[in-house]
Amino acid sequence: MSCLALSLQPVNGSDILLQTREWFPPARALVALSAFRLTRFSYSKPSAASSAADPDPSSSSESIGDDPLAASGGQVIVGVESRYRVIYRLVNSIYVLGITTADQDNSVNVFECIHIVNQAVSVVVAACRGVDVTPEKLGRKYAEIYMALDIVLRGASSIRLAAMLSSMHGDGIAKLVHSGIDTESKIRGADSWAGVEVHSAERLAGIEVFASARFEVPPETLEAGDEVVATIAPVTQIEQSDSQDTKGEEEESEGPKDPFAASDALNKPEALVSGFKKNRDPSATDLTLALVGLEVTTLPPAEATQSTHIGVEGFEGDYGGIEFGNEQASLGETFEGFGEAWGGGLDPSEFVGPKNAPKPQGLGGLEFLGTGEGGAAKAAVDKAAEGKAGEGTPLENLLVKKTEMKGPEMYISEEISAEFRESLVARVGLMGAVYLRTLPPKTAGDKETEFSFRVDGTSAVKRFVMQSSRVSSVGNGLFHVRTAPSDEPIPILKYSLLPRLTPLPLRVRLTKRHSGTLLSVMIQYASNPELPAPLHDVTFILKLPVDPSLLKVSPKAMLNRSEKELKWFVPEIPLNGAPGKLRVRMPVDTSAEEGDEEIEVVGYVKFSSQHTSSLSGVCLRPASEGNTDFYEVNHKYESGVYTCN
């Protein structure tokens, strides 16, 4: 940010001109100008008082030049609450002022402000035809000066400034404003658009001509290409029978053909053997050629098949080796081990019957516990009837089936974020989305999902955004959706609520006390009694400033030392119950008297809930009463960034 405003202020009298940037309010510029005038007067008062006290003319002559702002140029910082830096140049009796902020972080380029003020001085001197600048001369060229200072304030190169100064007298304001750009282009050697436009039109016309042009290759070129192809890839010899067939086909193709005639393949007899060609290559029947690439693993040498004798005490014996036997065993003896139980020599038929035991029907004997004389007989009859009814029933019908979709389903998913400072809400925001779950593609096929619906309860909505490729607005809260089936839910609408009308499901307050080297923190929470259902499985997370060596919590919590987090899990928060409290106390390194900065402790809350109605009150309805174009399922809302500090 450089110069924010330019002004012309006479030594005596009101301001002549003020030109500001778009984002800088003129009222602030007037405050800076008034502060500059007061600063000038305050600097000149002591010299005036001394001249009145001492009537000696020599003393008054010595005070000339004591006013620091009477120099030809400089800068001064003015203002009390809002401080501004004013760069000034004194031309005859007119101050040319440039106003900018008085930042201390070097974000303002003071030299650029000085350059802009110098350009403004050049404009003023050129308008008055010399340094004899007076308010009367400025009034005669007020419009030209105003437009020129506006261009200078937004940044003008030296080339454009020279063009403006040359057209200040004699030419109109339009020439002053618009001729600078063309002049700068000419000086830099660039062509004007009037001269380049002809070439651009010729280029576009040439592109259009070449895009629509069609070229035909002469037959001589095609014949020469065929000869080159024949030399690169020579044609293989074809059997005489095949050549005769092709000749017959060529003779037939020479005559005119009926495009609606039936194909000759319909009258040909079905033949399988004729479809295969004989291969007369003698190498195809040579088996030695087929076994060329076959690799056979060689047997180990004879020394490797012999066993090694170990003579160590306690481990004597022959180890290793391969024994080849020539005895011919019977098939039953060879595979005898495969019939043994786990290879241990036990016949499984000695312990388990050869057939599977029949599984008892019914409830495993519980049906015989009926009281009364005919209880057992009645249970037996019921068991037999149940067995007959269960015959032929597939297993899938006995299992609990998943609920199948009857049609498209819609639900609302909302995410609420809030920030609490002490017990006050600092920030709050709710973002919602309307999701559409269509029938799966396996069920719906290529059929598109299309219906209309209405959105009610939008009095608190700040903004609506819809996915225009799938949804269109009919007006008066009516929407029409048309989309292809998908396996995943599709977000079709998104909205946000006004902060002042956003409901808070949970109010949280964090208080802390640092006494000595002990830090005590307490989190209080209370549910909104207007919620449709209580919150379940709420998680409170407290970010600790240090990794505690000792910790005292109430109620029990889980400590994560790597993340320096303390977590509480609350199963349920009643709607109209008393506020809950979570306490923790731990020692810290610094005491309350020594620590200059306050220890920062932040708490986070995570929760989610589902209900038939949304948290914001937005609801989905069919376009007309009685229609069931879609089914509204449970809506859900969850916490986004829900903090307290």
Side-chain angles (χ1 to χ4, degrees):
M1 184 184 296
S2 58
C3 193
L4 299 177
L6 287 174
S7 177
L8 300 179
Q9 185 181 97
V11 174
N12 297 317
S14 59
D15 298 337
I16 298 174
L17 183 144
L18 175 62
Q19 185 67 263
T20 62
R21 301 298 293 265
E22 293 84 355
W23 59 84
F24 188 61
R28 296 192 178 185
L30 293 174
V31 170
L33 294 177
S34 177
F36 178 76
R37 182 181 288 104
L38 294 177
T39 304
R40 287 197 299 112
F41 291 161
S42 63
Y43 285 165
S44 61
K45 281 180 180 179
S47 60
S50 61
S51 62
D54 189 3
D56 189 3
S58 61
S59 61
S60 61
S61 62
E62 292 176 357
S63 65
I64 295 176
D66 291 345
D67 184 2
L69 303 184
S72 61
Q75 54 178 315
V76 64
I77 297 177
V78 299
V80 180
E81 296 181 355
S82 299
R83 298 170 64 83
Y84 299 98
R85 185 186 302 272
V86 180
I87 293 95
Y88 64 91
R89 284 281 303 273
L90 180 61
V91 184
N92 197 7
S93 62
I94 302 296
Y95 280 98
V96 181
L97 307 178
I99 303 172
T100 184
T101 56
D103 294 337
Q104 303 297 330
D105 55 354
N106 298 326
S107 63
V108 176
N109 191 349
V110 181
F111 295 99
E112 185 177 354
C113 297
I114 296 173
H115 177 66
I116 293 176
V117 172
N118 292 335
Q119 287 184 338
V121 171
S122 302
V123 171
V124 172
V125 172
C128 296
R129 298 181 183 271
V131 295
D132 187 14
V133 180
T134 60
E136 292 78 11
K137 292 183 179 181
L138 293 177
R140 298 190 192 103
K141 289 289 183 179
Y142 188 86
E144 288 81 356
I145 295 173
Y146 184 88
M147 297 303 299
L149 291 185
D150 181 70
I151 297 173
V152 168
L153 183 60
R154 284 160 177 77
S157 62
S158 58
I159 298 173
R160 189 172 185 187
L161 178 64
M164 288 192 303
L165 297 181
S166 62
S167 60
M168 183 72 70
H169 299 280
D171 298 330
I173 298 178
K175 181 72 173 178
L176 182 144
V177 175
H178 299 290
S179 64
I181 301 175
D182 296 336
T183 306
E184 184 175 359
S185 301
K186 291 179 182 179
I187 295 176
R188 294 182 183 275
D191 296 331
S192 62
W193 174 245
V196 182
E197 187 177 7
V198 179
H199 302 293
S200 177
E202 292 178 356
R203 181 176 178 274
L204 293 177
I207 292 175
E208 185 177 357
V209 170
F210 281 103
S212 59
R214 297 292 182 268
F215 299 95
E216 293 184 1
V217 181
E220 294 81 4
T221 306
L222 295 176
E223 292 177 1
D226 294 339
E227 293 177 359
V228 174
V229 171
T231 57
I232 296 175
V235 182
T236 57
Q237 295 182 358
I238 304 174
E239 295 181 0
Q240 185 177 1
S241 59
D242 296 341
S243 62
Q244 292 177 357
D245 295 341
T246 55
K247 288 181 180 179
E249 293 176 358
E250 291 177 356
E251 292 175 357
E252 293 178 359
S253 61
E254 290 178 357
K257 286 187 176 181
D258 185 6
F260 299 99
S263 176
D264 296 336
L266 297 175
N267 301 325
K268 289 184 179 180
E270 296 181 359
L272 295 177
V273 181
S274 62
F276 297 93
K277 295 182 179 179
K278 248 182 215 183
N279 190 358
R280 298 181 181 179
D281 189 3
S283 62
T285 58
D286 192 0
L287 297 179
T288 57
L289 296 177
L291 298 176
V292 169
L294 184 63
E295 295 181 1
V296 181
T297 306
T298 57
L299 294 175
E303 293 79 5
T305 61
Q306 298 178 1
S307 59
T308 303
H309 180 74
I310 303 298
V312 181
E313 184 178 357
F315 298 93
E316 298 87 349
D318 296 333
Y319 294 87
I322 302 174
E323 182 179 358
F324 296 95
N326 297 325
E327 298 179 358
Q328 196 73 18
S330 62
L331 185 63
E333 295 175 355
T334 304
F335 294 95
E336 184 179 1
F338 288 92
E340 299 174 356
W342 311 104
L346 296 176
D347 188 1
S349 62
E350 297 179 3
F351 306 98
V352 183
K355 298 181 180 179
N356 295 331
K359 295 182 180 180
Q361 302 291 332
L363 302 177
L366 295 178
E367 64 273 11
F368 294 105
L369 297 179
T371 58
E373 298 180 356
K378 182 179 180 182
V381 172
D382 294 342
K383 175 183 176 183
E386 187 179 13
K388 292 181 180 179
E391 291 179 357
T393 303
L395 181 62
E396 290 79 2
N397 295 338
L398 300 178
L399 299 175
V400 178
K401 293 185 178 180
K402 185 180 178 180
T403 305
E404 297 181 356
M405 294 179 59
K406 299 179 181 179
E409 296 178 352
M410 295 182 69
Y411 65 92
I412 298 175
S413 177
E414 295 175 338
E415 179 180 317
I416 181 169
S417 302
E419 179 183 353
F420 293 89
R421 295 176 185 172
E422 292 293 337
S423 60
L424 302 178
V425 181
R427 291 182 295 177
V428 65
L430 186 143
M431 299 292 293
V434 179
Y435 284 87
L436 169 65
R437 184 185 288 114
T438 63
L439 293 173
K442 295 181 180 179
T443 305
D446 298 335
K447 183 180 179 182
E448 292 185 342
T449 302
E450 183 177 6
F451 60 90
S452 299
F453 64 95
R454 189 176 75 254
V455 180
D456 293 340
T458 59
S459 58
V461 175
K462 178 182 179 182
R463 185 185 179 190
F464 254 110
V465 178
M466 63 182 179
Q467 191 174 359
S468 58
S469 60
R470 304 176 188 268
V471 186
S472 59
S473 176
V474 183
N476 297 328
L478 290 175
F479 296 91
H480 185 78
V481 60
R482 181 178 182 181
T483 180
S486 175
D487 292 327
E488 301 295 332
I490 305 171
I492 57 176
L493 291 177
K494 290 187 178 181
Y495 59 90
S496 60
L497 294 190
L498 293 169
R500 58 185 178 85
L501 299 178
T502 301
L504 291 173
L506 192 67
R507 297 192 68 89
V508 188
R509 179 187 179 187
L510 187 144
T511 57
K512 58 186 176 182
R513 184 176 62 184
H514 189 192
S515 59
T517 58
L518 286 179
L519 177 64
S520 303
V521 182
M522 180 178 67
I523 298 177
Q524 293 178 309
Y525 58 90
S527 177
N528 188 349
E530 297 181 358
L531 287 179
L535 294 175
H536 297 275
D537 300 331
V538 182
T539 303
F540 292 87
I541 303 174
L542 184 65
K543 288 285 186 179
L544 304 178
V546 295
D547 187 6
S549 57
L550 297 174
L551 197 65
K552 183 179 180 181
V553 296
S554 175
K556 294 182 179 180
M558 183 175 66
L559 175 63
N560 187 350
R561 291 189 178 274
S562 60
E563 300 292 337
K564 296 181 182 180
E565 291 181 352
L566 196 63
K567 292 185 179 181
W568 286 275
F569 296 97
V570 179
E572 182 181 354
I573 300 179
L575 298 180
N576 297 316
K581 297 180 181 180
L582 307 173
R583 299 185 181 93
V584 58
R585 178 180 293 177
M586 61 180 177
V588 292
D589 299 336
T590 59
S591 63
E593 294 79 10
E594 297 176 358
D596 297 335
E597 297 182 357
E598 185 180 1
I599 297 178
E600 184 179 0
V601 182
V602 183
Y604 297 89
V605 186
K606 295 182 179 180
F607 57 85
S608 62
S609 180
Q610 290 189 2
H611 200 262
T612 55
S613 60
S614 63
L615 178 64
S616 61
V618 178
C619 56
L620 306 174
R621 296 289 183 265
S624 58
E625 298 295 337
N627 291 349
T628 57
D629 295 333
F630 67 94
Y631 295 90
E632 187 178 5
V633 296
N634 286 342
H635 309 298
K636 59 182 180 180
Y637 62 89
E638 60 184 359
S639 60
V641 183
Y642 216 87
T643 63
C644 57
N645 50 28

